[in-house]
Amino acid sequence: MSVPIPRQRTAVLPQEAAPAGDARDGAAAAAGPAAVPADATGLQDTSAAPEAAESTSAAPSEAPAPAARSADTGLTLLLIGEDPTSSVPEMRDGQGRRVRVRTARNLTEAERLLTDDVHCILLDLAPAGARDRTDAPMAQEDGTHDELDALRAVLRLAPSHAVLALTSEADAERAAEAVRVGAQDYLFRDELDGAVLGRAVRYAVERKRADLAQRQLTESRMLAQENRRLERGLLPTPLLDGSDLRFAARYRPGRSRALLGGDFYDTVRTADGTVHAMIGDVCGHGPDEAALGVELRIAWRALTFAGLCGDALLSTLQKVLEHERADDEIFATLCLVDIAPDGRRAGVWLAGHPAPLLVRSGGAPRLLPYEDGGPALGLLPRARWPRRQVALGGAWSLMMYTDGLIEGRVGNGNQRLGQEGMAELVGRRMAAGLRGEELLDAAVTEVRDLNGGELTDDVAVLLLDRGRVAN
């Protein structure tokens, strides 16, 4: 529901001498109360007398400025007070421009007047004698009246605006409490003048900007810490003690998100000497998908150490996904590889995931068969995932990856790199003598360059080597 744009209103200004050069403005301001009729709320409606509105709220040559021009026409103050005759002295901003003033008797009027061009709110707290009035506009449903309820309500209504509390000098303790509750500063109405109020408004606006900037910085730091925690969960340290396999991995988040996506991997060696490796991808992007990826990876590691493998392991992981996902349409792809203790053969299970790339000693890179794979986790309730036996040989490299590596574009057209293009790219880099992390860095960088910039999807790549692969 859109908020109606209010007519410009201004508070009654005291009749005081205008600054040099503004005699015409001062005369118009002094004539304001008599020339401008009050509406039902007791506020002066400047739309009924445009000439008077111009003289009290802007320079003579300026029309009332819309919100988009607030940065060019100075500050706007919203005065909220139960007394409809509340007045504030004339104020100037740092560039000598008159500060525009709107007045509201209660929060309902204030919400209507709180447009984007308002910079600061001046809340006139009820005098001490009015605290126990049960008919006060800020009274609670049970008739009680917390003297700072109005301030708390204003802070909820306008969390990004500077707020000043206005009270009497006799209520100094309450004024200090208002700052502790969330106001930028307080003022005593007994000592109020234009210079003091104008300076307080400017300082309050700057303090609020500084507070918001500090909050954004703190939130950014917390977000970075959350990202690091998620990354540690998605991309753990491999447990390969006692194995002669070399491990390398790379992860690059997509350009469209601050958080990690749902790509994850892991590698462990069990007591019988078998090396178990996995890589997976939860559909979608964001913190929920990343958290689900962390759960699946941790569950895989625990189940693997418990002795499950292959189809039984994938069936259990599917149950984990079904119970933990936020939406029934969320699924995850997985590739599992179990390498025998002698390192010469492996079992491969595919759950909707791209097949690994194998490079044997003296041979060209080739993709392992995909035809025997099963569906992604979360698609079919009683799915099965067959095992494919693969002969590795004495020296080999096995690369597992997520689809972000192969879905990048090639050039300016719609052509995708694809698995065949990726295999050719990796073969060239290996022929140039690159291995391990250098190979992954070069491959991911070239895929990015072919795409013409950062990839839209996350990329995770895992590489296991045994012996030296010569080409």
Side-chain angles (χ1 to χ4, degrees):
M1 179 178 178
S2 59
V3 178
I5 300 176
R7 293 172 292 181
Q8 180 75 25
R9 299 173 184 235
T10 179
V12 180
L13 301 178
Q15 297 185 16
E16 56 184 41
D22 284 348
R24 175 183 171 186
D25 291 349
V36 184
D39 63 9
T41 67
L43 306 178
Q44 275 64 46
D45 188 349
T46 61
S47 63
E51 294 83 359
E54 183 178 358
S55 65
T56 58
S57 62
S61 60
E62 296 176 345
R69 293 180 56 196
S70 62
D72 299 326
T73 56
L75 299 174
T76 299
L77 176 71
L78 175 60
L79 169 64
I80 305 175
E82 295 177 2
D83 183 359
T85 63
S86 296
S87 62
V88 296
E90 179 179 318
M91 295 168 286
R92 300 267 171 178
D93 66 13
Q95 286 72 43
R97 296 169 297 196
R98 184 175 289 115
V99 175
R100 297 180 301 278
V101 180
R102 298 176 184 174
T103 62
R105 291 187 302 181
N106 51 49
L107 290 180
T108 301
E109 290 183 8
E111 185 173 9
R112 187 172 66 251
L113 296 172
L114 191 62
T115 51
D116 291 340
D117 59 335
V118 173
H119 298 86
C120 184
I121 297 172
L122 179 61
L123 177 61
D124 190 357
L125 297 176
R131 295 180 195 174
D132 298 328
R133 285 174 42 202
T134 58
D135 61 339
M138 301 301 179
Q140 303 179 33
E141 294 181 358
D142 60 0
T144 61
H145 185 72
D146 185 336
E147 55 197 13
L148 293 179
D149 274 351
L151 175 59
R152 295 185 179 94
V154 168
L155 293 173
R156 289 192 298 269
L157 178 66
S160 61
H161 288 73
V163 177
L164 291 171
L166 181 63
T167 185
S168 65
E169 188 172 0
D171 282 340
E173 183 176 346
R174 181 168 60 144
E177 180 65 22
V179 175
R180 287 192 290 271
V181 168
Q184 269 62 58
D185 205 348
Y186 64 84
L187 297 168
F188 295 138
R189 65 173 67 89
D190 316 70
E191 302 176 350
L192 199 62
D193 60 36
V196 170
L197 180 57
R199 185 165 57 248
V201 168
R202 295 196 303 272
Y203 289 171
V205 169
E206 291 305 318
R207 277 196 294 272
K208 187 63 178 181
R209 289 174 180 168
D211 290 344
L212 291 175
Q214 181 62 41
R215 182 183 305 172
Q216 292 173 353
L217 178 60
T218 301
E219 290 175 352
S220 297
R221 289 173 176 169
M222 293 176 63
L223 181 61
Q225 293 173 356
E226 292 174 358
N227 283 349
R228 286 193 291 270
R229 286 194 292 269
L230 280 173
E231 184 175 1
R232 286 195 298 271
L234 290 168
L235 319 175
T237 302
L239 301 179
L240 291 174
D241 292 344
S243 173
D244 60 352
L245 300 184
R246 292 187 297 272
F247 171 92
R250 281 295 179 269
Y251 178 88
R252 176 172 290 185
R255 67 183 177 192
S256 60
R257 295 170 310 282
L259 282 173
L260 299 174
D263 292 10
F264 54 97
Y265 60 76
D266 202 353
T267 305
V268 299
R269 180 175 183 266
T270 50
D272 63 356
T274 302
V275 172
H276 307 264
M278 63 89 73
I279 194 166
D281 185 2
V282 177
C283 72
H285 308 285
D288 291 339
E289 288 75 13
L292 182 55
V294 172
E295 290 183 81
L296 291 174
R297 187 203 63 76
I298 293 174
W300 174 86
R301 178 175 280 200
L303 293 169
T304 298
F305 280 126
L308 271 68
C309 64
D311 185 77
L313 175 55
L314 288 167
S315 297
T316 307
L317 289 177
Q318 175 159 277
K319 292 179 182 178
V320 173
L321 181 143
E322 290 170 349
H323 285 89
E324 297 296 331
R325 62 186 174 184
D327 191 297
D328 288 343
E329 297 189 0
I330 292 179
F331 62 90
T333 66
L334 277 172
C335 172
L336 308 184
V337 176
D338 290 353
I339 301 170
D342 62 6
R344 302 184 68 88
R345 61 189 186 282
V348 179
W349 293 263
L350 298 176
H353 201 86
L357 184 70
L358 175 64
V359 184
R360 292 194 183 94
S361 179
R366 71 178 184 90
L367 294 165
L368 296 181
Y370 178 80
E371 292 76 14
D372 294 335
L377 302 186
L379 295 183
L380 300 177
R382 289 178 294 276
R384 288 294 177 263
W385 295 271
R387 177 180 187 270
R388 172 175 285 271
Q389 181 75 19
V390 177
L392 299 176
W396 47 266
S397 291
L398 184 69
M399 191 173 84
M400 305 162 67
Y401 51 92
T402 57
D403 57 7
L405 186 68
I406 59 177
E407 290 185 347
R409 299 183 183 277
V410 179
N412 296 325
N414 294 324
Q415 182 182 356
R416 303 284 183 176
L417 176 63
Q419 290 176 284
E420 298 295 339
M422 182 268 298
E424 189 273 333
L425 182 153
V426 171
R428 283 191 287 101
R429 294 293 180 174
M430 294 189 72
L434 297 184
R435 297 292 183 273
E437 294 182 352
E438 290 183 351
L439 172 63
L440 297 186
D441 286 337
V444 172
T445 299
E446 184 172 351
V447 170
R448 175 190 175 279
D449 293 342
L450 290 172
N451 188 62
E454 290 294 342
L455 300 163
T456 57
D457 200 2
D458 303 311
V459 174
V461 191
L462 184 156
L463 182 67
L464 292 171
D465 287 303
R466 183 174 186 267
R468 179 164 183 83
V469 181
N471 287 316

